Amino acid sequence: MKITSSEYLASAVKPEQYPELVVPEVALVGRSNVGKSSFINTMINRKNLARTGGKPGKTQTLNFYLVNNSMIFTDVPGYGFAKVAKSHRQTWRKMIEEYLLKRANLKGVVQLIDIRHLPTNEDKEMFFWLLEKQIPVMVVLTKADKISKGKVQKHVSDICKQLNIPLSYPLVFSSETGLGREEAWEAILELIQQ
Ligand code: GTP
Ligand code: MG
């Protein structure tokens, strides 16, 4: 995929703040610190357009990025971050659900899961909720550079069992090395053409 332009558009915590631009949109969801912002940067060949960080809870608002003037990646705050106060967590949850359910431009979701670990309860809850709401969802297993190649298939198969999906469903990815980038673009282009 050739990237000709990428720019930050807006941040939002409520629908009135979403960009008015009508282009296909793909949202990133996943645990805090799993690499959602890094995924966006890798896809668009930018180092830090979407701000990343070593500490979980870096992204706190819905952040919209326009790519090639033709599609938007929405960076979504991560879930499962214990240090966020309970009341705050409820607000985030509402904000995320509202966005995922009401955003007309949304074509689908990329759910990131750390390839090193089994999906958490929250990962499963999110995945099955998206299925239930009939929101198209791609599963991307990221941080693949952190395990040896020989272990990849076993991790993929353990994660697939937990999510009840075929082995061919998830994409193996690394923001560090760019592994899986082209395949991810192919899948995303297919998603937004529907
Ligand atoms: P929140 O905004 O807190 O929800 O986190 P996030 O999901 O956006 O994670 P972010 O992209 O900020 O990455 C968190 C940390 O993981 C950063 O230190 C990244 O450099 C690192 N990271 C992300 N993806 C990868 C990857 O594929 N491989 C490796 N080795 N590190 C990664
Ligand atoms: Mg982030």
Side-chain angles (χ1 to χ4, degrees):
M1 173 74 172
K2 187 157 185 275
I3 306 299
T4 50
S5 67
S6 55
E7 62 186 287
Y8 163 80
L9 271 186
S11 296
V13 294
K14 50 186 176 190
E16 304 88 89
Q17 298 166 332
Y18 300 166
E20 282 174 19
L21 190 67
V22 179
V23 292
E25 211 161 283
V26 172
L28 273 295
V29 304
R31 292 196 73 196
S32 220
N33 218 36
V34 71
K36 298 173 294 297
S37 303
S38 303
F39 177 90
I40 295 176
N41 290 330
T42 297
M43 295 306 280
I44 61 179
N45 300 326
R46 296 281 295 262
K47 273 239 151 63
N48 208 22
L49 183 65
R51 307 252 321 268
T52 64
K55 276 193 225 146
K58 186 80 184 172
T59 308
Q60 308 218 351
T61 52
L62 299 162
N63 297 333
F64 298 83
Y65 298 93
L66 179 63
V67 184
N68 287 357
N69 281 313
S70 61
M71 71 154 297
I72 287 174
F73 276 127
T74 310
D75 200 1
V76 173
Y79 48 77
F81 178 36
K83 278 195 185 143
V84 174
K86 251 200 183 140
S87 58
H88 207 90
R89 255 186 275 170
Q90 273 308 96
T91 318
W92 276 17
R93 193 192 180 101
K94 245 191 72 198
M95 171 176 86
I96 294 168
E97 284 189 5
E98 184 176 44
Y99 166 75
L100 293 172
L101 291 173
K102 294 189 184 156
R103 182 64 164 161
N105 301 343
L106 188 72
K107 290 291 186 174
V109 167
V110 175
Q111 182 172 5
L112 289 195
I113 293 175
D114 191 323
I115 196 166
R116 294 172 295 174
H117 311 297
L118 288 177
T120 63
N121 285 337
E122 280 172 300
D123 285 327
K124 288 194 242 179
E125 215 178 278
M126 174 57 90
F127 182 70
F128 295 119
W129 183 82
L130 289 166
L131 292 187
E132 183 197 313
K133 300 297 175 193
Q134 299 187 314
I135 298 170
V137 51
M138 260 170 76
V139 171
V140 171
L141 306 181
T142 194
K143 303 201 181 184
D145 59 285
K146 292 209 178 213
I147 58 172
S148 64
K149 278 200 184 121
K151 285 194 174 149
V152 167
Q153 270 324 307
K154 164 86 172 118
H155 284 237
V156 171
S157 121
D158 289 347
I159 293 169
C160 285
K161 260 183 221 147
Q162 295 277 317
L163 297 179
N164 218 351
I165 51 175
L167 285 174
S168 57
Y169 191 110
L171 253 151
V172 176
F173 191 86
S174 165
S175 290
E176 195 71 20
T177 65
L179 175 77
R181 182 181 175 277
E182 278 312 310
E183 290 88 335
W185 263 123
E186 269 172 40
I188 287 169
L189 290 178
E190 204 168 295
L191 198 65
I192 65 181
Q193 272 150 21
Q194 278 160 18

